[in-house]
Amino acid sequence: MSERYAFDAVIVGAGIAGLVSAVRLAELGLRVGVLEKGEHAQYPCNARMTGGAFHVAFRDVNDPENVLLDAMNERTRGSARPELVQAMATDISVAVQWLKTKGVRFIKVGHEIHRQHTLAPPILLHGRTYWEGRGGDVLLRTLGGALMDLGGTLVLGARAVRLSMRDGKCVGLEMEHKGTRVQVQAGSVVLCDGGFQANHELLREFITAAPEKIRQRGAATGNGDALKMAREVGAQLVGMNRFYGHLLAQDAMHNDDLWLFPIMDFVCTAGVVIDAAARRFVDEGLGGVYITNSIAGLPDPLAATVVFDQAIWDGPGREFISPANPLLVARGGTLLSAPDLAGLATQLGLPAAALEETVTRYNAAVDAGATGRLDPPRTIAKYKAHAVRNPPFHAIRLCAGITYTMGGIAIDGASRVLNAANEPIAGLYAAGCATGGLEGGEFIAYIGGLTKSSVSAFRAANEIAAGHAKN
């Protein structure tokens, strides 16, 4: 390890969290190095491929603090760490305004509240390179340029492999670079390499028994390197069993024209989601992200199907900016159809009597306004329950699409990494989707990956800079 680097702060990962923390630290006068395992300038990461909407629990980032707090508390239902909820509500508008000063551009997309701050230019809704020259790609290029202008260092092809500790303090790390191990000395380390959604070993440990049967719905570069390094030095991990993702047609497992859009969420929240025995196993009313997690948790994540009728296909099936109807079939996906449920069951290879009983019982509950008494219950607070009775009947075999994992390294409100006793590990910070404690929980609360990353990174940088100024 003859080659050496030395920085005031070293950042692991050059996604949005890594570059926000790096640029902020550099403008505050610190010597900053960013390590990115991608080897070329357009290195893949989820932030580059993002849809680009900055929101807080589907509220606009400029909403009053109390509105943001209420929205997050309603979604998390007490499962989130209060200091992380408060940090989001307090700092998101500040972080977005700071991004604007660095040249990041936002536009309004449609009338929905959560799309009032969307990265510009907006992504395309088709094509396998829908992101090139758009939202997240431009964001990373803009922040990368700002880092260079401020004298920061970006090392490509650099993979962090081990944290360096001295007397309980993190003082740097080892990285693999150009085929050799390199020592990096640093006053502080910030772990920002995203979730562990592409690591089958960790997915099998925390998310699903069959990671090969869920579809990567992003860059597929999140291997959890930072999480593993942090765990080795005693960091606490929280909320590891939840992820953000969407429902996809099972054809997406082998058809790259379906890996991102259209999503099947709105068909599933209107229809009936069944397992290999033609029985309901999940509350469809809790939304697409919840159903996606439930499908990933099945013994066979490819055993789920949504059953619905023509009214649903022509109604909720046409919702969203990239609707299932007609895009599923147009892009090579499979829509099974039959004049009756028995015929649909035959095409699916399911027991006809069981499917008919499931749908009949479901329809009766809808008619009686008693879906809460179904097993499992079908709530209606978020999504209306539709009876399934207008032929032709349709079905789509499903798969879980995973975008990023919600759990990870435990941090406090200043983005300091916590040990099992909830004490900060000196010199060690984490931000973005490498962290846990905000999203997830029993009801799989989704707050917003871009905003979580921006705020936690901004706070990490401010805390490090304040500590540096005292020394």
Side-chain angles (χ1 to χ4, degrees), residues 134-176:
R134 297 185 172 272
D137 188 24
V138 174
L139 166 81
L140 295 187
R141 294 184 195 180
T142 302
L143 292 178
L147 179 65
M148 298 301 104
D149 291 343
L150 290 165
T153 300
L154 173 61
V155 185
L156 295 176
R159 184 170 188 169
V161 294
R162 181 175 292 109
L163 297 173
S164 300
M165 305 295 293
R166 183 186 306 140
D167 299 327
K169 183 182 188 300
C170 185
V171 294
L173 52 78
E174 290 180 24
M175 68 175 177
E176 291 179 352

Side-chain angles (χ1 to χ4, degrees), residues 18-63:
L19 290 181
V20 165
S21 59
V23 173
R24 178 62 174 162
L25 283 164
E27 78 172 356
L28 293 173
L30 278 71
R31 292 176 299 124
V32 181
V34 181
L35 311 182
E36 168 53 49
K37 70 179 180 181
E39 297 182 351
H40 54 81
Q42 214 170 30
Y43 52 88
C45 68
N46 274 1
R48 196 177 297 280
M49 300 178 174
T50 180
F54 273 64
H55 65 87
V56 177
F58 294 96
R59 298 297 311 184
D60 183 63
V61 296
N62 282 339
D63 277 348

Side-chain angles (χ1 to χ4, degrees), residues 266-453:
F266 297 100
V267 175
C268 291
T269 54
V272 178
V273 178
I274 58 173
D275 60 17
R279 304 297 185 187
R280 292 179 60 250
F281 63 92
V282 62
D283 180 351
E284 297 93 344
L286 290 177
V289 179
Y290 185 91
I291 301 170
T292 303
N293 276 257
S294 298
I295 289 176
L298 292 173
D300 179 3
L302 295 179
T305 300
V306 59
V307 174
F308 51 100
D309 64 6
Q310 189 65 35
I312 291 174
W313 190 231
D314 289 336
R318 291 188 179 273
E319 292 181 12
F320 195 57
I321 54 176
S322 182
N325 180 12
L327 294 182
L328 171 66
V329 175
R331 295 181 183 176
T334 304
L335 175 70
L336 299 175
S337 303
D340 52 47
L341 290 172
L344 194 64
T346 298
Q347 293 186 55
L348 291 166
L350 297 177
L355 179 59
E356 290 174 332
E357 179 186 1
T358 294
V359 174
T360 297
R361 184 176 298 169
Y362 183 84
N363 286 345
V366 172
D367 292 342
T371 56
R373 294 202 292 268
L374 287 167
D375 184 19
R378 202 296 187 187
T379 54
I380 58 173
K382 292 174 63 177
Y383 298 97
K384 176 184 175 181
H386 296 250
V388 180
R389 61 164 55 96
N390 297 301
F393 298 97
H394 305 294
I396 300 169
R397 293 188 175 94
L398 301 169
C399 71
I402 183 170
T403 306
Y404 69 84
T405 44
M406 289 177 165
I409 303 164
I411 58 172
D412 65 10
S415 297
R416 299 178 297 180
V417 172
L418 302 175
N419 62 19
N422 282 322
E423 300 166 337
I425 298 176
L428 188 58
Y429 300 77
C433 296
T435 69
L438 179 63
E439 299 183 296
E442 180 183 356
F443 296 98
I444 315 177
Y446 168 57
I447 302 300
L450 294 172
T451 45
K452 175 173 72 172
S453 296

